[in-house]
Amino acid sequence: AVIVPVHNSECWLDECLKSVWEQDFKETMELSIFNDASKDSSAEIIEKWRIKLEDVGVPVIVGCNDSSQPRGVGFAKNQAVIQSSGTYLCFLDSDDVMMPQRVRLQHEAAIQHPNSIIGCQVRREPPESTARYTRWINSLTEEQLLTQVFTSHGPTVIMPTWFCSREWFFHVGKFDEGGKGVPEDLLFFYNHLQKGGKVVRVNHCLLLYRYHPRAATHSILEATIWNHRVRFLEDRVLRSWTSFTIWNAGKQGKKLYRSLSPANRIKVS
């Protein structure tokens, strides 16, 4: 099942849904869209593509939140997953575009790596928007996908590239539905790792990843992400250490020290 949350996405939705239509995957595929209180013409665009996709044998499930307020991207993604029936889930943001081989290649990887989040390499649009970040996500080694979870500001494979089994998704326990300002992908990623999940990346560029000022990412405060990262570091690593040194006496080192729980501060030598 291709999972697409939608909120006022009329300027990108055509390209996004066309990329579902162009997949070269030969097995059964379905599209599950949840329209979260869009006020623009998203619903009409969805309907147009529903007809086209069903004509080529791809069932389309459309759910919507009809209230005046959106419930947020975590809620929309969960609803799209719940109403779908596919054994595997392929997440796609409504402002991004898949390459034709995405579902096929990630499905092959997912069969070989159960209990994993499968990612892929991406191409940024516009190309120069976040050059360093794009280089980073595309070039992490297999080992770094796990070791850099503590140093990165988000998941080491980015959410719009995620592909995993439905069974594993529900085992991890769905996305946080706190709404605006909640890094629901990072929290899910941390839960996934806590439960012994693996991280795998298909080394092909399978997604055009758009950068624009209206992206939901921009509503999340850096402080929120910092606090979640520190808690995760304490849970996963520091609780089993009797002492440690913070190898940075500058701003970041002091900030980390101040952010630790009293029990962990005592361990700093």
Side-chain angles (χ1 to χ4, degrees):
V2 179
I3 303 298
V4 184
V6 171
H7 174 65
N8 291 345
S9 311
E10 63 182 6
C11 44
W12 307 288
L13 204 46
D14 256 322
E15 257 189 288
C16 170
L17 298 180
K18 180 172 185 255
S19 78
V20 176
W21 190 64
E22 289 176 339
Q23 289 302 296
D24 64 11
F25 186 61
K26 293 286 175 273
E27 297 174 51
T28 50
M29 189 170 79
E30 70 176 12
L31 171 63
S32 177
I33 300 183
F34 190 83
N35 185 357
D36 188 19
S38 292
K39 302 269 190 294
D40 62 3
S41 63
S42 292
E44 291 78 53
I45 298 167
I46 291 167
E47 184 52 27
K48 176 182 80 178
W49 281 102
R50 186 184 67 76
I51 295 164
K52 280 190 161 188
L53 283 156
E54 292 192 333
D55 276 353
V56 294
V58 177
V60 180
I61 305 106
V62 182
C64 66
N65 162 20
D66 286 331
S67 72
S68 59
Q69 288 303 313
R71 293 278 303 273
V73 71
F75 173 79
K77 280 189 280 214
N78 286 340
Q79 290 302 313
V81 171
I82 290 162
Q83 70 188 15
S84 73
S85 60
T87 315
Y88 289 94
L89 307 172
C90 174
F91 291 93
L92 176 64
D93 284 352
S94 57
D95 50 358
D96 296 329
V97 179
M98 299 195 281
M99 306 304 156
Q101 65 276 40
R102 179 183 172 192
V103 172
R104 175 171 55 83
L105 294 179
Q106 286 192 305
H107 178 252
E108 284 168 12
I111 291 169
Q112 289 170 338
H113 303 278
N115 306 355
S116 295
I117 287 178
I118 313 289
C120 65
Q121 292 175 324
V122 301
R123 192 170 92 234
R124 213 38 162 149
E125 179 69 38
E128 65 297 335
S129 48
T130 56
R132 266 177 60 193
Y133 176 63
T134 308
R135 240 189 340 269
W136 178 77
I137 47 185
N138 283 339
S139 60
L140 288 172
T141 64
E142 212 171 309
E143 187 190 23
Q144 285 172 327
L145 290 173
L146 286 174
T147 54
Q148 295 216 2
V149 296
F150 302 105
T151 51
S152 66
H153 293 266
T156 49
V157 289
I158 56 165
M159 163 67 221
T161 71
W162 286 6
F163 193 108
C164 67
S165 81
R166 176 186 206 82
E167 188 185 348
W168 183 254
F169 176 82
F170 283 109
H171 175 70
V172 173
K174 303 197 293 188
F175 289 106
D176 186 294
E177 296 187 356
K180 203 171 177 168
V182 174
E184 82 297 325
D185 54 344
L186 185 63
L187 297 178
F188 185 93
F189 191 68
Y190 284 168
N191 286 340
H192 161 77
L193 294 169
Q194 301 277 29
K195 300 205 165 171
K198 302 279 187 288
V199 187
V200 174
R201 191 186 64 220
V202 173
N203 288 321
H204 289 277
C205 174
L206 302 178
L207 189 80
L208 182 72
Y209 180 41
R210 224 185 280 274
Y211 180 84
H212 59 90
R214 282 171 47 200
T217 321
H218 302 309
S219 70
I220 297 161
L221 297 173
E222 215 166 301
T224 305
I225 292 185
W226 172 270
N227 293 333
H228 286 306
R229 285 169 64 199
V230 174
R231 295 294 85 83
F232 182 65
L233 180 69
E234 290 187 314
D235 274 359
R236 287 278 287 195
V237 181
L238 304 185
R239 70 193 311 178
S240 59
W241 288 358
T242 49
S243 73
F244 59 93
T245 300
I246 297 175
W247 201 256
N248 174 351
K251 265 195 199 152
Q252 288 279 24
K254 288 175 181 150
K255 183 181 176 185
L256 175 60
Y257 179 76
R258 287 197 303 268
S259 305
L260 295 173
S261 67
N264 280 316
R265 272 189 219 174
I266 296 164
K267 299 179 186 177
V268 178
S269 57

